[in-house]
């Protein structure tokens, strides 16, 4: 889907961001920042060349090579950030307003892709009979609409207060009773507890989920390899993984951090760390090496004036990805795949 050459060039271009951030920290004006955002490709290409010289060839673009191995998906600093916002989830004009309006795109994206795999269900409840895990559900902004489409949904989040907010909000809708559950934990804790007692808190997931959703979550995680391995473990063969996240580009720094956090205050300052953003090409590579087949990637753009999202042809900012779990990893037999998954989980559990 994306050529290796483009990916490398893109990686080099992104290194310019470090300079940009230093300038912004010194209190540069918007035009100065904009000028830097449009800075020359020559500099970027030179930096890319230096970077590639320093890195062993096999690690040049592998997502794992630019992330620290931390043996857990949980970054305590991220948990603290979301803890301080745990009672704000259902404020439609507040810190999570853009996530509320993102439902206009992400709910149909998930629904239509699931319907294309599983066929149409009961009228009015098209996802009836499907079991979905919503990882990093926060206050249940996406969990609830998926439940209303008829799916049985388990929302998990390590921030207990967010889970309480989600439970309270969901309890007001009788339609969701018995269909939407929540649990305060990380994905690796859920996967581990499934290995031990087969009950993830919203009923057993030993059979596996039909879909795992992680919307606006991966950019807050400490380790994406563990995340991918756990998603693979809890999914049924052929099950779907849906991710929405932010690309690692100059534009995502300029619009997603400088404009959205510092100038327009659409989201609280410090919500995002550009270093943790991941490009579609890196995410695709990571998922493919973790036993997934990437089916589609679509660009998304937020309009701060209208407050609405729209699909875009390219992916310089946000994007939505749909992948499916391959039944077996190429070049590995089933026993080897399970052994590798178990090793990753044991590593996570040991910390
Ligand atoms: C930007 S919010 C997205 C919330 C929700 N998915 C939505 O779109 O409405 C990111 C969420 O990820 C959660 N999170 C952070 N680290 C996590 C981890 N290691 N495992 C699961 N969730 C995590 C945060 O607590 C927060 O609720």
């Amino acid at each position: 889907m994306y050529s290796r050459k483009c990916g490398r060039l893109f990686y080099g271009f992104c290194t310019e961001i470090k300079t940009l951030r230093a300038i912004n920290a010194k209190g540069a004006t918007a035009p100065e920042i904009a000028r830097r955002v449009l800075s020359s490709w020559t500099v970027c290409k030179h930096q890319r060349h230096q970077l590639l010289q320093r890195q062993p060839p096999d690690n040049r673009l592998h997502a794992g090579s630019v992330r620290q191995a931390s043996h857990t998906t949980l970054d305590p600093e991220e948990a603290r950030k979301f803890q301080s916002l745990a009672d704000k989830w259902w404020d439609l004009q507040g810190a999570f307003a853009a996530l509320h309006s993102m439902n206009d795109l992400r709910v149909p994206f998930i629904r239509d892709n699931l319907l294309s795999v599983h066929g149409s269900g009961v009228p009015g409840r098209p996802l009836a009979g499907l079991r979905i895990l919503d990882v990093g559900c926060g206050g249940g902004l996406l969990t609830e609409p998926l439940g209303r489409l008829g799916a049985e949904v388990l929302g998990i989040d390590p921030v207990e207060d967010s889970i309480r907010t989600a439970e309270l909000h969901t309890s007001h809708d009788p339609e969701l009773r018995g269909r939407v559950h929540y649990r305060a934990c990380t994905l690796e804790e859920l996967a581990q507890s499934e290995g031990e007692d087969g009950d993830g808190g919203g009923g057993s997931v030993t059979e596996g989920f039909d879909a795992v959703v992680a919307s606006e979550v991966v950019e807050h995680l400490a380790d994406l390899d563990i995340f991918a391995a756990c998603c693979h473990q809890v999914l049924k063969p052929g099950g779907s993984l849906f991710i929405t996240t932010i690309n690692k580009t100059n534009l995502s720094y300029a619009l997603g951090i400088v404009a959205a956090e510092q100038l327009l205050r659409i989201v609280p300052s410090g919500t995002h760390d550009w270093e943790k953003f991941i490009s579609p090409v890196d995410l695709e590579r990571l998922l493919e090496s973790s036993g997934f087949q990437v089916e589609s990637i679509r660009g998304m753009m937020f309009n701060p004036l209208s407050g609405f999202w729209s699909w875009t042809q390219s992916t310089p900012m946000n994007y939505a990805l749909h992948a499916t779990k391959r039944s077996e990893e190429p070049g590995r037999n089933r026993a080897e795949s399970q052994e590798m998954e178990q090793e990753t989980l044991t590593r996570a559990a040991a910390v």
Side-chain angles (χ1 to χ4, degrees):
M1 190 175 298
Y2 298 92
S3 81
R4 181 178 288 248
K5 194 175 168 195
C6 275
R8 286 181 181 164
L9 194 62
F10 173 74
Y11 185 74
F13 190 54
C14 289
T15 60
E16 174 73 354
I17 286 295
K18 287 196 175 124
T19 324
L20 183 64
R21 301 180 94 194
I23 287 172
N24 183 44
K26 286 177 193 158
T29 61
E32 281 172 314
I33 291 166
R35 189 168 49 78
R36 292 302 301 191
V37 167
L38 299 169
S39 68
S40 91
W41 276 92
T42 317
V43 174
C44 297
K45 281 170 77 178
H46 176 66
Q47 289 180 337
R48 174 184 68 92
H49 179 73
Q50 286 182 324
L51 251 173
L52 295 182
Q53 294 290 312
R54 284 206 298 270
Q55 292 174 350
D58 289 342
N59 287 339
R60 282 177 188 170
L61 251 186
H62 190 283
S65 67
V66 292
R67 292 191 312 271
Q68 288 181 338
S70 47
H71 312 304
T72 170
T73 61
L74 188 63
D75 177 338
E77 186 51 40
E78 296 282 353
R80 267 193 293 278
K81 261 191 286 194
F82 286 103
Q83 172 69 42
S84 69
L85 296 167
D87 59 346
K88 305 276 189 289
W89 287 104
W90 290 94
D91 176 355
L92 297 182
Q93 312 300 325
F96 298 117
L99 291 181
H100 281 276
S101 66
M102 192 188 276
N103 279 353
D104 294 347
L105 296 193
R106 59 188 179 174
V107 173
F109 181 75
I110 294 167
R111 181 198 60 202
D112 295 347
N113 278 300
L114 283 177
L115 289 182
S116 72
V117 175
H118 298 279
S120 52
V122 185
R125 288 173 45 221
L127 301 187
L130 298 184
R131 305 186 63 239
I132 301 178
L133 175 67
D134 184 8
V135 179
C137 64
L141 274 52
L142 181 54
T143 330
E144 287 196 6
L146 294 175
R148 279 188 200 100
L149 289 172
E152 197 182 310
V153 196
L154 172 63
I156 61 168
D157 200 290
V159 177
E160 282 191 28
D161 286 350
S162 291
I163 289 295
R164 267 189 224 117
T165 301
E167 283 172 337
L168 181 66
H169 197 273
T170 294
S171 70
H172 297 310
D173 186 344
E175 195 194 340
L176 298 178
R177 208 160 294 145
R179 206 187 294 157
V180 170
H181 302 272
Y182 295 100
R183 180 171 167 187
C185 66
T186 60
L187 178 57
E188 61 270 25
E189 285 166 346
L190 180 80
Q192 193 66 32
S193 71
E194 278 312 304
E196 283 161 13
D197 59 29
D199 190 346
S204 170
V205 294
T206 350
E207 294 295 308
F209 288 95
D210 296 288
V212 172
V213 173
S215 187
E216 305 306 295
V217 170
V218 299
E219 65 271 27
H220 300 288
L221 302 184
D223 192 312
L224 285 190
D225 295 296
I226 294 174
F227 166 79
C230 291
C231 287
H232 194 267
Q233 191 199 327
V234 301
L235 271 172
K236 289 178 183 172
S240 288
L241 172 62
F242 296 98
I243 292 174
T244 71
T245 190
I246 313 178
N247 198 345
K248 195 169 188 176
T249 60
N250 280 5
L251 194 66
S252 70
Y253 182 72
L255 297 185
I257 294 183
V258 179
E261 293 188 12
Q262 294 160 21
L263 301 177
L264 303 174
R265 309 259 175 206
I266 295 166
V267 287
S269 180
T271 299
H272 293 115
D273 173 359
W274 187 86
E275 294 295 340
K276 287 166 103 178
F277 291 178
I278 184 165
S279 68
V281 74
D282 280 352
L283 186 55
E284 184 172 5
R285 183 169 291 126
L286 172 83
L287 293 175
E288 298 268 344
S289 68
S290 304
F292 288 94
Q293 165 79 42
V294 173
E295 307 287 349
S296 62
I297 297 177
R298 294 191 71 182
M300 305 192 296
M301 187 67 83
F302 181 67
N303 179 340
L305 298 177
S306 67
F308 289 114
W309 290 84
S310 54
W311 293 116
T312 53
Q313 291 294 327
S314 54
T315 57
M317 281 293 300
N318 299 66
Y319 60 96
L321 176 150
H322 173 218
T324 48
K325 173 176 171 171
R326 286 198 305 260
S327 16
E328 279 185 17
E329 293 173 46
R332 283 186 211 145
N333 63 35
R334 195 172 178 74
E336 281 171 337
S337 300
Q338 283 173 345
E339 200 177 306
M340 284 191 65
E341 235 165 51
Q342 198 50 49
E343 260 176 40
T344 313
L345 292 171
T346 310
R347 215 159 35 93
V351 177

